[in-house]
Amino acid sequence: MRKAAALVLVTTLTLAGCSFGKEKEKPAPKPSPNLTAPPPAVAIHSGPFKAGPFKAPKKGAYVGAWIKPDELTHVGRLAAVQGLESELGRSLHIVNTYRRFEQMVGTPSDKEFLAQGATLMVSWATGDNRSILDGEHDDLIRKQARAIRKVHRPVLLRMRWEMDRPNLRATMWSGADYIAAWKYVREIFRQERVKNVSWVWCPTAEGFIRGDAPGFYPGDDQVDWTCVDVYAGERFAPIAELMGPFLQWAAQRPKPIVVGEFGVAKAWGSAGRAAWLRDAARTFKANPQIKAVVYFESDPEGNGPTKQFQLTGDKPAFKAFHKLVRDPYFNP
């Protein structure tokens, strides 16, 4: 297991992809969907994929996680990953990490994860798109580009993931603004000779259900991996149903898919959660274009049971997740 390296890192949970508010919880209805039916295969594009420096496995899918640390320090971050890996009896392929706009990649804990063979998926909360396009953050973007270049290992970079969330509209402005900012940042990275980034475009499953997420897509020439964040939170349904519109869209593009965040809420009970995770494993395997899956192992503070997703401590649910990660399919 990884040894802890001391350094202070402030990582606020508001960066995490759920970013759920504290609205009053609604009583959760009992689970009713059929989680035993074979999932429909949708995303079966066989490639070849242009995935950037982080290559997709020929068969199977990588597995990773974001693990909420008990303490928001580097020691806490390392302990969180180490603890989950110990319980799983295996190392994670991908370690998801959230960074504010001004937080640089390449911290000692980043280096520790890399030294142990993990790949970093950096969820980077870039700022107001129009201020980016006005050049207000050029120095910051260049600094991050140089920091990532110095890593000397492939990095999955989720630039402002979940950009389609309605509560981000004030800083995203529009799909056109987001696309322009994406291209602007990529150009700065090119100028800084950064060649170890795989660019990951990651909206929400809800954005595809609403129909507005595709309007934020920068284009096949700009994106290396397509991505989606999907949760059985307030709505309990099979994962294939929740992310079905995204899978149908992604199947038309020669890009590998990473499920950037997925989770099933505690509101649905241990048995329901375990069944949902077993169905998720079947769904991932039925859609071979999915080349990586990353669990959101966190209970964001202040949220009720429909918005808490930690599996540790829930024996039936954790057992189902353990079976998923020990499956040879998820150990390519």
Side-chain angles (χ1 to χ4, degrees):
M1 289 297 107
R2 303 187 173 96
K3 298 179 180 178
L7 181 74
V8 175
L9 172 68
V10 179
T11 307
T12 61
L13 290 179
T14 55
L15 287 176
C18 292
S19 294
F20 295 125
K22 298 182 180 180
E23 66 269 19
K24 185 177 179 181
E25 286 291 317
K26 299 177 182 179
K30 294 182 179 180
S32 58
N34 184 358
L35 297 175
T36 60
V42 177
I44 56 175
H45 199 297
S46 60
F49 300 123
K50 293 181 179 179
F54 184 68
K55 306 299 182 185
K58 292 183 179 179
K59 294 182 179 179
Y62 296 125
V63 68
W66 153 254
I67 308 99
K68 175 188 174 183
D70 290 334
E71 297 181 357
L72 296 176
T73 64
H74 263 295
V75 172
R77 182 178 173 220
L78 290 167
V81 174
Q82 176 182 343
L84 181 62
E85 289 182 329
S86 179
E87 291 196 57
L88 294 175
R90 59 158 290 176
S91 297
L92 297 171
H93 294 120
I94 298 170
V95 173
N96 183 18
T97 178
Y98 296 93
R99 300 294 160 92
R100 293 193 299 269
F101 204 177
E102 71 277 8
Q103 289 180 316
M104 296 296 107
V105 174
T107 63
S109 54
D110 289 343
K111 294 175 182 177
E112 180 72 15
F113 295 142
L114 292 165
Q116 295 297 327
T119 295
L120 293 179
M121 183 169 75
V122 179
S123 301
W124 190 25
T126 51
D128 184 288
N129 286 326
R130 293 188 179 178
S131 67
I132 290 174
L133 293 169
D134 286 341
E136 295 180 20
H137 309 289
D138 285 8
D139 290 344
L140 176 60
I141 297 167
R142 289 187 186 280
K143 184 179 179 182
Q144 185 71 282
R146 293 165 188 160
I148 292 176
R149 187 183 67 199
K150 291 178 181 178
V151 166
H152 300 300
R153 290 278 301 278
V155 171
L156 291 161
L157 183 59
R158 294 203 302 168
M159 176 178 157
R160 189 52 273 179
W161 74 103
E162 299 189 358
M163 75 302 295
D164 58 309
R165 290 199 327 245
N167 68 331
L168 290 179
R169 197 55 51 88
T171 54
M172 296 298 97
W173 293 92
S174 69
D177 287 295
Y178 176 81
I179 291 168
W182 174 289
K183 293 179 178 179
Y184 188 92
V185 172
R186 276 209 65 167
E187 174 57 22
I188 291 177
F189 272 59
R190 186 196 66 79
Q191 293 171 9
E192 293 296 333
R193 306 182 307 283
V194 182
K195 298 181 180 179
N196 60 321
V197 167
S198 283
W199 294 83
V200 181
W201 179 72
C202 201
T204 65
E206 291 85 355
F208 277 88
I209 294 172
R210 291 192 306 268
D212 55 6
F216 291 83
Y217 186 59
D220 290 348
D221 62 328
Q222 293 285 319
V223 172
D224 295 314
W225 288 67
T226 58
C227 175
V228 69
D229 289 354
V230 56
Y231 291 92
E234 292 186 348
R235 178 187 176 198
F236 190 76
I239 194 170
E241 179 180 335
L242 294 170
M243 64 176 178
F246 163 79
L247 291 175
Q248 293 170 357
W249 177 90
Q252 308 305 313
R253 284 156 182 83
K255 305 291 177 182
I257 295 168
V258 51
V259 180
E261 300 171 17
F262 74 103
V264 56
K266 290 182 175 179
W268 306 111
S270 295
R273 300 178 84 200
W276 191 89
L277 288 164
R278 289 191 294 269
D279 178 68
R282 292 192 296 266
T283 300
F284 297 150
K285 294 168 76 171
N287 291 272
Q289 197 173 339
I290 297 174
K291 296 297 185 181
V293 298
V294 183
Y295 193 80
F296 187 80
E297 176 66 358
S298 177
D299 290 340
E301 294 181 8
N303 291 336
T306 63
K307 297 173 182 177
Q308 294 183 330
F309 304 97
Q310 188 173 11
L311 299 173
T312 304
D314 184 337
K315 291 183 179 180
F318 192 86
K319 182 179 179 180
F321 183 64
H322 184 265
K323 184 177 180 181
L324 183 157
V325 303
R326 300 286 290 186
D327 188 320
Y329 187 87
F330 298 101
N331 289 272

